[in-house]
Amino acid sequence: MKEIGVMIRQAVRAIAKGTDIPVCVMVVGQDILECSSRDLLEAWKEEILQLQKQHPAECESGKSKVCMFECTMMDRTVCIVLTDREHQRYRSYICAMLHAASDSFYKKKEDLAEISKRRLLASQLLGGGRLDFEIDLKDIPRCAVLLSTSFAEDGTTTGEIVDILEKWGEDRGILTKEDICGFVNNSIVIFKSVGSLDYREYREEVDRMCDEMITHIANVLDDQAVANAFAGSAYSRADQLYKSFEEARYLFLNFDYYGQYKRMCYYINDYIFEYLYSRLDIGEQENMIRDFKIRTEQSEIIRSLMMPMAIHNMSPKICADVLGIHINTMQQRLKKMKDRLGIDPLHDIRNRALIHIYALQDQKKIIWNAGVIVQPDSILFQGLSHLSEILDKKSKGIFQLNIHTVATSGDNFRLFGLLRERDLDMAVGSTIGLRQLADMKISVLQYPFLFESEEEARFVLQNLVLPEVQSSLSEGDVLCFDIWSMGWRYLTSKNAPIIVPEDMKGRKIRILASDDIKEYFEEMGAVPVQIYYNNIREALASDMIECQENPYNNIWNMRIYEYQRYITEMKMFYSMEACCVARQSWSELDQSKQSMLKEAIRENSRWVLKQQKEVNQLARSSLLKEGLEIVVPTEEEIMMWKYKSQAIYEKTKYQDFLSKIEAMKSHYHRR
């Protein structure tokens, strides 16, 4: 019955989204009623009551402004559709939409779930190979193949293209169920199953796949998309595939250098020397080329020869043509290079290698992986994506930030663990996850009613909390640059609204991993349950929990509203997420890049604050349209909740930190 209700809701929403057809749908023999507008419930009240009492035949013409007709689905489920008589001509369309919704929901439900799981799997493989859920993934040789795309700004997303491409590839026989397709930034990545770890044995197969895919995408998207492919080496273990992606990405990022060879698909095995050099410690790289670099940069004319010579295999004639000089001039410069600097690339193989290294280093790009553990539509994911755009613009393409949903579990401790181990360069997650890295006093930030307003919270976070966190992390592997927020976290409930603490008695509520919050709700007689974020929907569907708390945007994006009816709009918990960087990644940036990153994060944080308010307000409006009821406790009722929280504040071990917060709040109000 629940599935039918969800399916009907999706169908009615689809009908309303693309048209202005007013429609209500009822399921015969079941208490399911869905309308495209809440106003229709009142406008068609009599007709709906009639249907609930008796299953009627279609209304006779002229006796009602409402047209009612049957729609049979799945050979047994009969829906009664109501619309106004002027829209009766859309009867076939409405039935077709209901049938399509039924087919999509039931026949493709497992396929869609599998696609979603495989997309997340691909994202995890791209972000360091940490697999956070079980999936039947055989240990067979696979290599990462990156197809760099360039789509026109017409609303087409890489994700949509991947879905289409995967289905087309399977029908064509160039992709199998063992292949894993995903996307990162504006690129398609295929972890292609191959029969061997030796690329000479599978090269022909990968070439064929790339050739057909590139041709197909170009035909479908009017030559907007792919021109080249880049393949890493094969690995048999799934948790090692991220290495293959790193290799493929290296080739793509250095395409200006490797593009001289005019190939369709580039393989890391052909450029293993340069790649291994790039994997050396930054200090080792600099030591290897320091003397050569000093000599080369003594003359700007000599320096200008490095890239053309590296790209064009040391050919004096081709380099002369590229530089627009006569061949005799080129020969004179080579002689000068040999006589004055002792560099002779035409006869010294070591000099050739150093020129290649110098050219690569001169064009070197900075690629960071950033991760979140909530859905891609979250403000945290949006914030990192916007930061990526700022960095790209400020660095003119040199500094790139790849965004990964490494999981949707909400396990902040694991997220910051990936950062400590440097499987990620940057991460944004709840300050809860920093307790063991910084100081346990950070637990205070999860206390109820800590702040009265968002402006007050922002002031305290910037002027007190952030410096305290940065100071306590000073000796660790993680640096914190700012604290973002997903907004106020509001309580939701199923069968009855929550207005006063007594309403929590006996209710099972999902909470964050905080013993203080656990005791807070237990004091009210509730049953707090600490479960992962990605399990909330299943927990609500199975009645494992009855309540939960999250910002509006999360409630909307995770479709929590399908299992909840009421939202208690009360500023009890303010979401706080730390924007952190791996110390080692930070230390590898030169001073100018460090300054640029700091400035970009500051600029982006202002955008996140503004965007968070907008997306939560939009989500609030959408939830109201879905039929959820928002209840706002009075001041007297809120005081009851605050009174229940006194025990947490009175017995906390972190009175000093709380006193500092209160002092900073007072300073905010005195300004």
Side-chain angles (χ1 to χ4, degrees):
M1 180 174 174
K2 285 183 179 179
E3 288 192 346
I4 296 175
V6 172
M7 182 272 293
I8 294 296
R9 186 179 301 116
Q10 291 177 353
V12 171
R13 191 182 301 140
I15 294 170
K17 183 177 180 180
T19 69
D20 60 354
I21 301 174
V23 61
C24 288
V25 178
M26 296 184 65
V27 179
V28 175
Q30 299 188 42
D31 187 23
I32 296 175
L33 171 64
E34 188 66 34
C35 296
S36 58
S37 168
R38 297 181 68 181
D39 295 338
L40 295 178
L41 293 173
E42 182 62 31
W44 295 345
K45 184 176 180 179
E46 293 184 8
E47 285 80 0
I48 291 172
L49 288 173
Q50 179 185 354
L51 286 173
Q52 290 174 336
K53 292 178 181 178
Q54 184 180 1
H55 177 191
E58 184 174 348
C59 293
E60 295 181 15
S61 177
K63 290 188 177 182
S64 174
K65 294 181 180 180
V66 181
C67 171
M68 294 184 284
F69 55 86
E70 291 184 357
C71 181
T72 302
M73 296 183 298
M74 300 173 293
D75 299 326
R76 61 184 186 280
T77 302
V78 177
C79 294
I80 303 297
V81 180
L82 294 80
T83 187
D84 57 36
R85 195 164 290 280
E86 67 177 279
H87 288 96
Q88 183 178 4
R89 63 184 183 277
Y90 293 115
R91 175 172 177 166
S92 298
Y93 168 78
I94 294 171
C95 285
M97 289 292 285
L98 287 169
H99 286 138
S102 175
D103 291 342
S104 174
F105 190 83
Y106 290 102
K107 294 182 181 178
K108 298 182 181 179
K109 186 177 178 182
E110 292 184 1
D111 291 342
L112 292 173
E114 182 62 23
I115 288 174
S116 176
K117 183 182 288 187
R118 288 167 67 83
R119 290 291 174 270
L120 180 56
L121 172 63
S123 182
Q124 291 172 347
L125 292 174
L126 295 171
R130 298 302 184 98
L131 308 183
D132 292 333
F133 59 86
E134 293 183 1
I135 186 169
D136 184 18
L137 189 63
K138 299 176 183 177
D139 280 340
I140 60 175
R142 292 182 176 88
C143 71
V145 180
L146 186 152
L147 305 175
S148 177
T149 58
S150 179
F151 300 130
E153 296 183 2
D154 60 357
T156 304
T157 68
T158 314
E160 292 170 346
I161 298 301
V162 170
D163 292 339
I164 297 170
L165 188 63
E166 187 170 21
K167 179 66 168 61
W168 174 85
E170 290 181 0
D171 293 342
R172 186 80 174 177
I174 59 175
L175 291 179
T176 71
K177 292 294 184 181
E178 301 295 345
D179 300 328
I180 305 165
C181 298
F183 53 91
V184 56
N185 287 4
N186 206 30
S187 299
I188 296 169
V189 180
I190 301 167
F191 291 97
K192 175 65 180 168
S193 61
V194 291
S196 170
L197 294 177
D198 186 343
Y199 91 111
R200 291 170 297 184
E201 296 182 10
Y202 61 72
R203 186 168 188 160
E204 183 177 344
E205 177 187 7
V206 173
D207 278 343
R208 173 180 166 247
M209 178 192 77
C210 293
D211 181 42
E212 293 198 28
M213 283 192 168
I214 289 171
T215 302
H216 177 68
I217 294 175
N219 290 337
V220 171
L221 298 178
D222 299 325
D223 298 316
Q224 296 172 11
V226 182
N228 297 97
F230 308 91
S233 50
Y235 294 84
S236 58
R237 285 175 47 189
D239 61 357
Q240 297 293 305
L241 286 177
Y242 73 95
K243 296 180 181 179
S244 184
F245 169 66
E246 291 293 333
E247 295 163 359
R249 188 176 63 178
Y250 166 83
L251 292 171
F252 160 65
L253 293 174
N254 291 284
F255 181 63
D256 289 343
Y257 176 77
Y258 293 121
Q260 59 172 304
Y261 299 106
K262 309 298 182 184
R263 294 172 181 168
M264 174 194 64
C265 186
Y266 293 80
Y267 292 84
I268 191 64
N269 306 71
D270 295 327
Y271 312 102
I272 199 66
F273 167 75
E274 293 93 335
Y275 176 70
L276 291 177
Y277 167 78
S278 73
R279 305 300 294 175
L280 291 175
D281 177 85
I282 190 71
E284 294 176 334
Q285 291 185 25
E286 292 177 353
N287 288 336
M288 183 179 293
I289 200 173
R290 179 180 289 112
D291 293 340
F292 181 84
K293 186 175 182 181
I294 292 173
R295 285 184 290 159
T296 299
E297 294 182 352
Q298 290 178 9
S299 167
E300 183 58 34
I301 292 177
I302 299 301
R303 183 181 184 278
S304 68
L305 299 180
M306 296 297 106
M307 180 60 76
M309 294 185 71
I311 291 177
H312 300 293
N313 202 27
M314 310 297 160
S315 169
K317 185 178 186 307
I318 298 177
C319 288
D321 292 341
V322 170
L323 292 170
I325 59 177
H326 195 274
I327 183 62
N328 291 339
T329 303
M330 183 66 191
Q331 295 289 3
Q332 290 172 3
R333 292 182 180 180
L334 289 172
K335 186 176 185 302
K336 179 181 178 181
M337 184 189 298
K338 179 181 179 181
D339 294 343
R340 294 189 181 182
L341 304 178
I343 300 173
D344 184 11
L346 300 184
H347 304 94
D348 190 322
I349 191 169
R350 186 174 186 276
N351 286 166
R352 288 188 176 216
L354 289 173
I355 287 176
H356 278 287
I357 292 173
Y358 182 90
L360 282 169
Q361 195 175 73
D362 193 50
Q363 297 292 310
K364 184 179 180 181
K365 295 184 179 180
I366 301 167
I367 309 298
W368 274 18
N369 289 312
V372 295
I373 47 171
V374 288
Q375 74 281 357
D377 291 330
S378 73
I379 187 60
L380 305 185
F381 191 96
Q382 292 181 40
L384 284 174
S385 297
H386 190 258
L387 177 61
S388 175
E389 295 173 6
I390 295 175
L391 286 171
D392 184 69
K393 183 177 180 180
K394 286 182 178 295
S395 69
K396 298 181 180 179
I398 296 298
F399 201 137
Q400 297 184 12
L401 191 66
N402 292 330
I403 318 302
H404 305 286
T405 302
V406 296
T408 57
S409 64
D411 187 347
N412 293 282
F413 297 99
R414 178 149 179 77
L415 176 67
F416 289 120
L418 293 175
L419 194 64
R420 287 186 65 189
E421 297 164 16
R422 216 187 164 196
D423 289 319
L424 294 172
D425 301 290
M426 176 179 282
V428 181
S430 173
T431 53
I432 285 178
L434 288 180
R435 290 183 311 200
Q436 297 172 350
L437 302 180
D439 195 310
M440 288 298 292
K441 68 184 179 184
I442 293 176
S443 302
V444 167
L445 301 179
Q446 311 305 322
Y447 287 5
F449 302 105
L450 186 64
F451 301 115
E452 296 291 333
S453 68
E454 192 160 29
E455 292 71 24
E456 178 191 71
R458 188 67 185 165
F459 183 84
V460 175
L461 291 174
Q462 287 297 302
N463 293 282
L464 172 65
V465 175
L466 182 58
E468 290 270 352
V469 171
Q470 290 173 334
S471 176
S472 60
L473 286 171
S474 61
E475 301 299 324
D477 299 322
V478 173
L479 300 170
C480 181
F481 283 91
D482 210 337
I483 296 179
W484 298 353
S485 176
M486 292 190 289
W488 293 102
R489 305 176 68 92
Y490 296 120
L491 285 171
T492 67
S493 55
K494 181 178 181 181
N495 298 319
I498 297 171
I499 302 175
V500 295
E502 285 72 18
D503 294 333
M504 289 300 305
K505 188 173 183 180
R507 295 206 191 204
K508 294 168 287 187
I509 178 173
R510 181 263 179 178
I511 63 169
L512 294 173
S514 167
D515 291 337
D516 295 307
I517 297 176
K518 182 173 182 287
E519 291 181 16
Y520 177 55
F521 283 109
E522 285 178 340
E523 179 66 21
M524 304 174 198
V527 182
V529 183
Q530 296 179 3
I531 60 175
Y532 284 144
Y533 177 69
N534 62 335
N535 293 329
I536 293 177
R537 278 176 49 82
E538 290 76 7
L540 289 169
S542 64
D543 293 324
M544 177 183 174
I545 57 174
E546 305 162 74
C547 317
Q548 64 87 50
E549 46 88 26
N550 256 297
Y552 277 130
N553 193 48
N554 287 5
I555 296 171
W556 173 253
N557 285 333
M558 290 290 283
R559 304 201 316 276
I560 293 172
Y561 57 82
E562 294 179 354
Y563 303 100
Q564 303 278 266
R565 183 177 176 185
Y566 302 97
I567 301 176
T568 304
E569 197 171 75
M570 176 171 53
K571 295 176 180 178
M572 184 188 306
F573 299 113
Y574 187 65
S575 175
M576 285 166 272
E577 284 73 36
C579 176
C580 295
V581 167
R583 183 181 295 276
Q584 183 64 29
S585 300
W586 170 258
S587 67
E588 291 177 0
L589 301 177
D590 61 39
Q591 189 172 359
S592 64
K593 298 296 191 305
Q594 289 180 347
S595 298
M596 181 183 65
L597 179 58
K598 281 184 177 180
E599 181 183 345
I601 291 176
R602 281 196 297 268
E603 179 182 333
N604 188 65
S605 294
R606 294 190 291 270
W607 180 89
V608 169
L609 182 63
K610 179 176 180 292
Q611 182 73 359
Q612 172 259 111
K613 294 178 180 179
E614 293 179 0
V615 297
N616 278 317
Q617 187 58 42
L618 179 61
R620 185 183 190 275
S621 300
S622 299
L623 291 167
L624 286 172
K625 291 178 182 178
E626 285 293 329
L628 270 70
E629 297 181 27
I630 295 178
V631 295
V632 182
T634 64
E635 285 298 322
E636 292 77 14
E637 291 164 342
I638 291 175
M639 288 305 299
M640 297 180 189
W641 291 91
K642 290 183 177 180
Y643 177 77
K644 288 287 186 181
S645 69
Q646 286 182 4
I648 295 177
Y649 288 87
E650 290 173 356
K651 70 177 184 179
T652 182
K653 297 182 293 185
Y654 311 113
Q655 292 294 344
D656 289 346
F657 190 42
L658 273 177
S659 296
K660 291 181 181 179
I661 291 176
E662 289 303 318
M664 190 60 68
K665 287 164 64 175
S666 298
H667 178 57
Y668 167 77
H669 291 291
R670 288 196 306 269
R671 291 183 311 156

